[in-house]
Amino acid sequence: MLRSHTCGQLRKSDIGTEVTLCGWVESKRDHGGAVFIDLRDRYGLTQVVLGPPEANPELIAEASKVPAESVILIKGKVADRLEGKTNDKLETGDIEVRCHHYEILNACTTPPFTPGQSDLPGEDLRLKYRFLDLRRSEMQEALVRRSQIIKKMRDYFAERDFIDVETPILGRSTPEGARDYLVPSRVHAGHFYALPQSPQLYKQILMVAGFDRYVQVAKCFRDEDLRADRQPEFTQLDLEMSFVDCDDIIGMIDGLVAETAKEVLGKDIQLPLPRMTYDEAMRRFGHDAPDLRFDMEIVDVTPVAKKTEFRVFRGTADAGNFVRGMRVPGGAKQYSRRQIDVLTEFVKEFGAKGLAWFRVEDDGSLFSPIAKNFDEAHLAEIKELLAGTPGDLLVFLADTWETTCKGLYALRKRFGAEMKLYDADALNCSWITEFPMFDKDEETGNWHAMHHPFTAPLAEDLPKLESDPAGCRAQAYDLVINGSEAGGGTIRIHDSEIQSKVFGLLGIDEKTAEDRFGFLLNALRFGAPPHGGIALGVDRWVMLFAGLENIREVIAFPKTQKASDLMTDAPGEVDAAQLTELHLKTVKTKS
Amino acid sequence: MLRSHTCGQLRKSDIGTEVTLCGWVESKRDHGGAVFIDLRDRYGLTQVVLGPPEANPELIAEASKVPAESVILIKGKVADRLEGKTNDKLETGDIEVRCHHYEILNACTTPPFTPGQSDLPGEDLRLKYRFLDLRRSEMQEALVRRSQIIKKMRDYFAERDFIDVETPILGRSTPEGARDYLVPSRVHAGHFYALPQSPQLYKQILMVAGFDRYVQVAKCFRDEDLRADRQPEFTQLDLEMSFVDCDDIIGMIDGLVAETAKEVLGKDIQLPLPRMTYDEAMRRFGHDAPDLRFDMEIVDVTPVAKKTEFRVFRGTADAGNFVRGMRVPGGAKQYSRRQIDVLTEFVKEFGAKGLAWFRVEDDGSLFSPIAKNFDEAHLAEIKELLAGTPGDLLVFLADTWETTCKGLYALRKRFGAEMKLYDADALNCSWITEFPMFDKDEETGNWHAMHHPFTAPLAEDLPKLESDPAGCRAQAYDLVINGSEAGGGTIRIHDSEIQSKVFGLLGIDEKTAEDRFGFLLNALRFGAPPHGGIALGVDRWVMLFAGLENIREVIAFPKTQKASDLMTDAPGEVDAAQLTELHLKTVKTKS
């Protein structure tokens, strides 16, 4: 190595040692005829002093001109810092290196920004100059954290007899689910590979092949319209096990969560992680990934609404819809009438027609512009159902089940953040289970697979698979961390007849099923073990375990929301000859 | 788990235990009113007995009909085997399970082949039914071995402060090198991503960003015409280090080779691995990846050829070309005149015009149809140069340097295999260094980068970079194992001016360079450390460490030589709507 030590390595015990360091000039200052350079690398920061007698005036003059962020090599002797000049915040803060030799390995021209600057420029500029942005300690820490978490995952599964198997990136397009990225074939004119949305079918095949326990950190791809937390390519910890049921997979991941939390964050997580059915989650929190760092729950007051004279409540209840609400502890003070108007506009984004609310007054009475429409007895019942106490705000939506779920979930999330109802450092992990097998497209009346078409129904619901698809629950489980889905999986169908039935229910006719999934149906006929698995969102895990909120901060070279790489300028134009070889022509879109 | 134990787990100490096993019916036989089933899973084989009194006649009758390769679950008690019935070859060979409960989890319809059958069908059928082929113990062992080797690699580098960073799969097309796989963009009409041929530029950017030590097991892609040992997607162990020279990278990999050989094969490899320059390798073995498991070397007899009367030799020498040969110990007996004719045809495939040969007779004289064209003294000189002894065959090519290299390399390889000159279990590892920076396209006169355009020249050759490109050597190194290139790397250029010069030499004009590699040139201007790295071919490593010869045996789901996946039938046709979204039209190729 060009260096003898890293910039984070030297201690008091090294005093007197002749060393060679390499690194970036983080900062420099001239002081008392000497130049002080903070030399940085991934491992730390070391103070380098160029002053007499070690450094001659020429060297000092040269060093005083070196631009920040240049890469230099220095030789010198480790020395004690002067009394009062030590720096407790640096691990190398007790020493400095008195430099007698100095080389610029690569001078830095004026950069558009420096990693140390406090007022960072916009993200686009940082993505374009990603090599500068990645020098920031926050980015370095996030990527080191990512590397550690993935290593931890791999070790955990290797210790448990899982085999790491690589599945293909160049696969076959199966138009269910999200949009595929396609790769034209040169050898087979007019044919295309697809990049995998997940290794789902391959891992099932591995189980049929007897691999018993498979794991892979897998790149997956979806050509979707991108939201803030989506990337066209993303990473999943993907696994599959044979001869298991839901409890086995959940137990396996429970252990991983606890070990990762312990090793990465030093946190103790109590096992088993709590579980809640999908129905319960929708009832209590309006969502299948509830944030359980705080308690606020949805209460159904439809039975009371049915009795009241208030037209909106009663009409809703009579129509078979729902009036559901939540108690916001201390919310009366926090939310003025004007702020409640803002909340009302907010819930409209989720399809609600309005927001009913009551303030619990000091005397225990309920205040609201709509209170006059209610009997005292009904108000008392509502207050009791929500356990309202003076100072609380009670909010209600009167709408379809779905809209009350969506609106109240969004409100709950907002209250949680605005009222700081949880510890931002908390790591709250739980499972949601027994998802419905299918949901219905209200427009077309078609059934969709809630998870994917390979999911097995609960054994007890199997008899109603065809007679009552809506009532059929799946052997499915989602891991939820701090209100985010951090993973999801299912036990799979391992019987080709049931698989064919499910395809049928999903409107995939026999021919299409054979065309697209013939190899799977085939595999299920040749000795397929019961099996199941899960995929964990690695990017999401790293965000949650690193306490970050922007997915682009945990990916070295992310794409923008328009799926561009601003550094390399991908996607780019290609030579006409390349397209000819691929039997393709681009079509100009009419403007 | 549905099972209490795996099929490889039970021992004498478990006798008397009630167990539940799951697995595949490897084979079954009826004997003395009982049915014996060999039950298989990834972990082993256990003998299950269905007989009285534990099993009732109904169960026995049912079990006797179960098709091979079906998946069953059995419950029973572990019992001692009868004397003389133990099986030393099985780890579970001392016991059997006397079954009282039996379920078919998935019956197997008649398979096209069974994993246990000795006469395997052709590879195409096995690839189509990959889930059956992967049940073969050889395939399971190869993939377990692969998983272990990759784990070993990751652990090795993690222990040495390397950070595992994922680089993008959706990148930018750079038409140098092999043909890219392209991915059309939906958002940016007429634009394309390219799948990476290697993470080369990203890992250099990571060094400029200060990550110091990067490692990744990376999927790479090349749309090339496929040879037996090529796959459109392949896996590389890719790494990069800052502040290093060739010795640092080579030393780092030396350690990996030794530890992997020790852990995976139990072999001791002596370090440091031997090194040889490119020039020496071409001179002694005619190739830059010589098989050093055996000694045979090329000898240059041009000086003698110049003196002889034999027209072919003398003419070649006079034209500035070469007469080079090899001694095949004991080859006189092994190769009859007819077989030498076969060798002559063989070398013609490599551009040679013919093969000259001499047999060293018992009396030490040289016999050959061409011997009469030589003076005794010249024959003696030739024999001495090659150290010929009675019974040897001496073979010669008279041609250009390149043709003698190619032909003699191929011959040497053939002699090695045919004469069993090496131990097939040997693991011979060495380095080839100091490759030329450039080679010349003889047709166009253009210079090509021998490795890639980012390779740094040897410091001592830097002055002749432009004046004598052919004489300029690179800071490049290839790892060779048993005559196969198992990895290659270089120290990179970290100076934007030298990088620009090299682009210029390669005929990449300034505008094109800025277009394609602007971000790299930019990065080299903002504080780039000296850096270098290497990529190891993981598929090749697994083949070499598992003693396999077909790359498709170390990949779970390989493509054929026509880049097809016979199981899923990829690549496939896609809906017209998908192409419309991608602003593409397929073009019918004229037939």
Side-chain angles (χ1 to χ4, degrees):
Chain A
M1 304 279 299
L2 303 187
R3 67 191 172 212
S4 65
H5 295 76
T6 70
C7 295
Q9 202 174 353
L10 297 172
R11 298 286 183 279
K12 251 185 154 32
S13 55
D14 296 301
I15 285 170
T17 311
E18 175 73 22
V19 299
T20 306
L21 299 184
C22 295
W24 284 259
V25 175
E26 166 96 358
S27 63
K28 67 168 198 297
R29 56 200 180 283
D30 292 23
H31 182 74
V35 176
F36 292 77
I37 290 177
D38 277 343
L39 194 64
R40 185 195 70 225
D41 65 13
R42 189 185 115 202
Y43 311 95
L45 213 65
T46 299
Q47 176 165 292
V48 176
V49 188
L50 290 101
E54 294 87 353
N56 61 42
E58 216 169 293
L59 209 59
I60 299 173
E62 203 183 316
S64 98
K65 284 180 302 195
V66 66
E69 293 305 313
S70 297
V71 178
I72 64 172
L73 175 151
I74 66 103
K75 290 174 190 285
K77 205 173 257 186
V78 183
D80 218 344
R81 288 207 193 180
L82 289 182
E83 225 183 290
K85 297 290 185 190
T86 58
N87 183 344
D88 291 348
K89 285 181 204 145
L90 279 185
E91 291 199 89
T92 62
D94 285 334
I95 58 93
E96 61 190 21
V97 175
R98 301 201 60 91
C99 169
H100 60 77
H101 173 90
Y102 161 99
E103 281 173 49
I104 296 185
L105 296 176
N106 188 285
C108 184
T109 53
T110 313
F113 62 95
T114 60
Q117 90 189 44
S118 53
D119 53 330
L120 283 174
E123 197 181 13
D124 279 6
L125 191 71
R126 279 156 47 212
L127 287 172
K128 182 171 163 61
Y129 292 91
R130 192 66 169 169
F131 43 88
L132 294 177
D133 199 37
L134 285 173
R135 286 183 196 166
R136 288 192 295 124
S137 55
E138 295 84 354
M139 285 302 309
Q140 300 232 336
E141 277 161 30
L143 291 178
V144 169
R145 182 67 57 97
R146 181 184 183 106
S147 180
Q148 286 168 344
I149 291 174
I150 292 178
K151 180 75 170 56
K152 170 70 218 168
M153 289 174 159
R154 287 188 171 125
D155 289 348
Y156 180 87
F157 292 106
E159 284 159 16
R160 284 159 182 80
D161 270 337
F162 282 75
I163 302 183
D164 188 338
V165 181
E166 294 165 70
T167 55
I169 297 290
L170 295 170
R172 160 116 197 219
S173 182
T174 53
E176 281 71 41
R179 205 184 280 111
D180 282 325
Y181 277 105
L182 297 182
V183 182
S185 164
R186 177 177 55 84
V187 180
H188 306 272
H191 287 59
F192 293 80
Y193 303 96
L195 304 184
Q197 296 186 23
S198 90
Q200 182 61 34
L201 295 177
Y202 289 109
K203 68 178 178 172
Q204 292 193 236
I205 293 292
L206 287 172
M207 293 304 103
V208 177
F211 278 86
D212 203 70
R213 296 181 163 203
Y214 143 90
V215 71
Q216 185 184 196
V217 175
K219 268 287 174 84
C220 305
F221 304 84
R222 284 184 199 163
D223 186 9
E224 285 182 298
D225 298 307
L226 305 169
R227 298 195 310 245
D229 61 348
R230 285 270 178 84
Q231 285 280 315
E233 57 182 292
F234 54 98
T235 306
Q236 293 199 332
L237 187 287
D238 190 52
L239 67 88
E240 196 79 3
M241 299 170 75
S242 290
F243 305 114
V244 292
D245 59 23
C246 295
D247 287 346
D248 297 312
I249 306 284
I250 289 177
M252 185 61 74
I253 302 303
D254 271 7
L256 175 69
V257 169
E259 287 197 12
T260 308
K262 187 72 192 168
E263 277 184 34
V264 177
L265 302 175
K267 278 197 180 156
D268 287 307
I269 301 269
Q270 220 190 322
L271 296 187
L273 296 179
R275 303 185 198 177
M276 189 186 295
T277 65
Y278 174 87
D279 278 347
E280 185 181 346
M282 297 309 282
R283 209 169 58 235
R284 292 173 57 192
F285 305 102
H287 197 266
D288 59 3
D291 190 340
L292 301 180
R293 284 177 296 184
F294 61 105
D295 279 335
M296 190 180 289
E297 288 193 25
I298 296 173
V299 177
D300 190 345
V301 300
T302 314
V304 188
K306 231 182 166 72
K307 298 187 283 184
T308 68
E309 292 305 312
F310 183 47
R311 199 176 41 82
V312 177
F313 276 27
R314 181 151 178 185
T316 301
D318 285 346
N321 284 324
F322 297 84
V323 180
R324 298 163 83 202
M326 286 184 312
R327 164 181 169 252
V328 188
K333 208 170 174 183
Q334 182 100 356
Y335 292 94
S336 66
R337 287 192 65 159
R338 215 170 48 209
Q339 283 164 320
I340 293 176
D341 290 345
V342 173
L343 296 178
T344 306
E345 288 310 305
F346 175 70
V347 294
K348 288 181 181 168
E349 291 173 32
F350 302 93
K353 288 177 287 289
L355 182 74
W357 60 270
F358 298 91
R359 218 161 56 199
V360 187
E361 306 286 48
D362 285 345
D363 62 1
S365 68
L366 294 189
F367 170 82
S368 172
I370 58 166
K372 60 180 182 296
N373 301 300
F374 291 82
D375 282 355
E376 282 299 328
H378 297 152
L379 287 179
E381 248 185 284
I382 286 174
K383 192 178 90 171
E384 200 189 321
L385 279 170
L386 273 77
T389 58
D392 290 349
L393 177 69
L394 311 180
V395 294
F396 297 89
L397 295 184
D399 220 306
T400 60
W401 178 260
E402 287 70 28
T403 302
T404 58
C405 281
K406 275 188 205 160
L408 290 169
Y409 166 71
L411 269 180
R412 183 178 181 274
K413 208 167 156 176
R414 182 165 179 155
F415 290 136
E418 287 183 352
M419 300 192 64
K420 299 193 172 42
L421 296 179
Y422 52 83
D423 172 7
D425 284 338
L427 195 74
N428 183 296
C429 309
S430 66
W431 291 96
I432 307 297
T433 63
E434 298 185 11
F435 283 75
M437 280 286 285
F438 308 103
D439 57 0
K440 199 169 199 162
D441 185 320
E442 292 303 334
E443 273 179 50
T444 62
N446 292 339
W447 293 107
H448 289 297
M450 188 116 173
H451 198 96
H452 56 50
F454 318 109
T455 299
L458 281 187
E460 60 195 277
D461 289 354
L462 188 54
K464 55 184 175 186
L465 181 58
E466 287 169 303
S467 58
D468 176 20
C472 195
R473 289 162 301 167
Q475 297 190 48
Y477 31 82
D478 273 8
L479 174 67
V480 177
I481 304 184
N482 293 355
S484 280
E485 188 204 318
T490 67
I491 300 299
R492 329 298 181 186
I493 298 166
H494 73 282
D495 178 307
S496 65
E497 281 178 40
I498 298 178
Q499 186 64 71
S500 291
K501 265 188 205 166
V502 169
F503 283 149
L505 272 164
L506 296 172
I508 304 172
D509 65 43
E510 226 168 292
K511 193 192 159 307
T512 311
E514 279 297 337
D515 264 14
R516 289 185 191 154
F517 304 111
F519 65 99
L520 175 70
L521 290 170
N522 232 346
L524 299 184
R525 290 180 194 117
F526 287 108
H531 62 286
I534 194 166
L536 308 176
V538 169
D539 307 304
R540 188 72 62 84
W541 268 60
V542 178
M543 280 170 73
L544 290 167
F545 280 88
L548 294 169
E549 296 197 344
N550 176 346
I551 203 162
R552 292 182 295 279
E553 310 268 291
V554 298
I555 297 175
F557 301 103
K559 305 279 191 299
T560 64
Q561 288 193 37
K562 290 204 151 182
S564 298
D565 179 338
L566 298 182
M567 183 181 76
T568 62
D569 222 1
E573 290 178 349
V574 297
D575 295 346
Q578 287 176 276
L579 293 188
T580 305
E581 278 195 309
L582 297 174
H583 323 281
L584 286 180
K585 238 167 75 176
T586 54
V587 180
K588 282 255 160 58
T589 316
K590 280 158 205 143
S591 56
Chain B
M1 304 279 297
L2 303 188
R3 67 190 172 212
S4 65
H5 296 76
T6 70
C7 295
Q9 203 173 351
L10 296 171
R11 298 287 182 277
K12 250 184 155 32
S13 55
D14 297 301
I15 285 170
T17 311
E18 175 72 23
V19 299
T20 307
L21 301 184
C22 295
W24 284 258
V25 175
E26 167 98 358
S27 63
K28 66 168 197 298
R29 57 202 178 283
D30 292 22
H31 183 74
V35 176
F36 292 78
I37 291 176
D38 277 343
L39 194 64
R40 184 195 72 224
D41 66 13
R42 189 186 114 201
Y43 310 97
L45 214 64
T46 299
Q47 177 164 295
V48 175
V49 187
L50 289 100
E54 295 87 352
N56 61 43
E58 217 170 291
L59 208 61
I60 299 173
E62 203 183 317
S64 97
K65 284 181 304 195
V66 64
E69 293 305 313
S70 296
V71 179
I72 64 172
L73 175 151
I74 66 104
K75 291 174 190 287
K77 204 172 259 187
V78 183
D80 218 345
R81 289 205 193 183
L82 290 181
E83 226 185 289
K85 298 291 185 188
T86 57
N87 182 343
D88 292 348
K89 286 183 202 143
L90 278 185
E91 291 198 88
T92 62
D94 286 333
I95 59 93
E96 60 191 20
V97 175
R98 300 201 60 90
C99 169
H100 60 77
H101 173 91
Y102 161 98
E103 281 172 50
I104 295 186
L105 296 175
N106 188 285
C108 184
T109 53
T110 313
F113 62 95
T114 59
Q117 89 188 45
S118 54
D119 54 330
L120 283 174
E123 196 180 15
D124 279 6
L125 191 71
R126 279 156 48 212
L127 287 172
K128 181 170 165 58
Y129 291 91
R130 191 65 168 171
F131 42 89
L132 294 177
D133 199 37
L134 285 173
R135 286 184 195 165
R136 289 193 294 125
S137 55
E138 295 84 354
M139 284 302 310
Q140 300 233 334
E141 277 161 30
L143 291 179
V144 169
R145 183 66 58 97
R146 181 184 183 106
S147 180
Q148 286 168 344
I149 291 173
I150 292 178
K151 179 76 170 55
K152 170 70 219 166
M153 288 174 160
R154 288 191 170 122
D155 289 346
Y156 180 87
F157 292 107
E159 283 158 16
R160 284 157 181 81
D161 271 335
F162 282 74
I163 301 182
D164 188 338
V165 181
E166 294 164 70
T167 55
I169 298 290
L170 295 171
R172 160 118 197 215
S173 182
T174 52
E176 281 73 40
R179 206 183 281 112
D180 281 324
Y181 277 105
L182 297 182
V183 182
S185 164
R186 179 178 54 85
V187 181
H188 307 272
H191 287 60
F192 294 80
Y193 303 96
L195 304 184
Q197 297 186 23
S198 91
Q200 182 61 34
L201 294 176
Y202 288 108
K203 67 178 180 173
Q204 292 193 236
I205 293 292
L206 286 172
M207 293 303 104
V208 177
F211 278 85
D212 203 69
R213 294 180 164 205
Y214 143 90
V215 71
Q216 185 184 197
V217 176
K219 270 286 175 82
C220 305
F221 304 84
R222 282 182 200 166
D223 186 9
E224 286 181 299
D225 298 308
L226 305 169
R227 298 193 313 243
D229 60 347
R230 284 270 177 84
Q231 285 280 315
E233 55 182 294
F234 54 98
T235 305
Q236 292 199 331
L237 188 287
D238 190 52
L239 67 88
E240 196 80 2
M241 299 171 75
S242 290
F243 305 116
V244 291
D245 59 25
C246 294
D247 287 346
D248 297 312
I249 306 282
I250 288 177
M252 185 61 74
I253 302 303
D254 270 9
L256 175 69
V257 168
E259 287 198 11
T260 308
K262 186 73 191 168
E263 277 185 35
V264 177
L265 301 176
K267 277 196 181 158
D268 287 306
I269 302 270
Q270 220 190 324
L271 297 186
L273 296 179
R275 303 185 198 178
M276 189 187 293
T277 65
Y278 173 88
D279 278 348
E280 186 182 346
M282 297 309 281
R283 208 168 60 235
R284 292 173 56 193
F285 305 101
H287 198 268
D288 59 3
D291 190 341
L292 301 180
R293 284 176 295 183
F294 61 103
D295 280 335
M296 189 181 289
E297 288 192 27
I298 297 173
V299 177
D300 190 347
V301 299
T302 313
V304 188
K306 232 183 164 73
K307 300 186 281 184
T308 68
E309 293 305 314
F310 182 46
R311 196 178 42 83
V312 177
F313 276 26
R314 181 154 180 181
T316 301
D318 285 346
N321 285 322
F322 297 86
V323 181
R324 297 162 83 201
M326 285 184 311
R327 163 182 170 254
V328 188
K333 209 172 172 182
Q334 181 98 356
Y335 292 93
S336 66
R337 287 192 65 159
R338 214 170 48 208
Q339 284 163 322
I340 293 175
D341 290 344
V342 173
L343 296 178
T344 306
E345 287 311 303
F346 175 70
V347 294
K348 287 181 181 168
E349 291 173 33
F350 304 92
K353 287 178 286 289
L355 181 74
W357 60 272
F358 298 92
R359 216 162 60 198
V360 187
E361 305 285 48
D362 286 345
D363 63 2
S365 67
L366 294 190
F367 169 81
S368 172
I370 56 166
K372 60 181 183 295
N373 302 299
F374 291 84
D375 281 357
E376 282 299 328
H378 296 153
L379 286 179
E381 246 185 286
I382 287 172
K383 191 178 93 169
E384 199 189 321
L385 278 170
L386 272 77
T389 58
D392 291 348
L393 177 68
L394 311 180
V395 295
F396 297 88
L397 295 184
D399 221 305
T400 60
W401 177 260
E402 286 71 27
T403 301
T404 57
C405 282
K406 274 188 205 163
L408 290 169
Y409 166 71
L411 269 181
R412 182 177 182 274
K413 209 167 155 174
R414 182 166 179 152
F415 290 136
E418 287 183 350
M419 300 193 66
K420 299 195 172 44
L421 295 180
Y422 51 84
D423 173 5
D425 284 339
L427 195 75
N428 183 296
C429 310
S430 66
W431 291 97
I432 306 297
T433 63
E434 297 184 12
F435 282 76
M437 280 287 283
F438 309 102
D439 57 0
K440 202 172 197 158
D441 184 322
E442 292 305 334
E443 273 179 48
T444 63
N446 293 339
W447 292 107
H448 289 297
M450 187 116 172
H451 197 94
H452 57 51
F454 318 109
T455 299
L458 280 186
E460 61 195 277
D461 288 354
L462 189 54
K464 54 183 175 186
L465 182 58
E466 287 169 303
S467 59
D468 176 20
C472 194
R473 288 162 302 167
Q475 297 190 47
Y477 31 83
D478 273 8
L479 174 67
V480 178
I481 304 184
N482 293 356
S484 281
E485 187 203 320
T490 67
I491 300 298
R492 329 299 181 185
I493 297 166
H494 72 282
D495 178 307
S496 64
E497 280 178 41
I498 299 177
Q499 186 64 70
S500 291
K501 264 186 205 167
V502 169
F503 283 148
L505 271 165
L506 296 172
I508 304 171
D509 64 43
E510 227 168 291
K511 193 190 160 310
T512 310
E514 277 298 336
D515 263 12
R516 289 186 190 156
F517 304 111
F519 66 98
L520 175 71
L521 290 169
N522 231 346
L524 299 183
R525 287 178 196 118
F526 288 107
H531 61 286
I534 193 167
L536 308 176
V538 169
D539 307 304
R540 188 72 63 84
W541 268 59
V542 178
M543 281 169 72
L544 291 167
F545 280 89
L548 294 170
E549 296 197 344
N550 176 347
I551 202 161
R552 291 182 296 279
E553 309 267 292
V554 298
I555 297 174
F557 301 103
K559 304 278 193 297
T560 63
Q561 289 191 39
K562 288 203 152 179
S564 299
D565 179 338
L566 298 183
M567 183 181 74
T568 63
D569 222 2
E573 289 179 348
V574 297
D575 295 345
Q578 286 176 279
L579 293 188
T580 306
E581 279 195 308
L582 297 175
H583 323 281
L584 286 180
K585 240 166 71 175
T586 54
V587 180
K588 284 255 160 58
T589 317
K590 281 158 205 144
S591 57

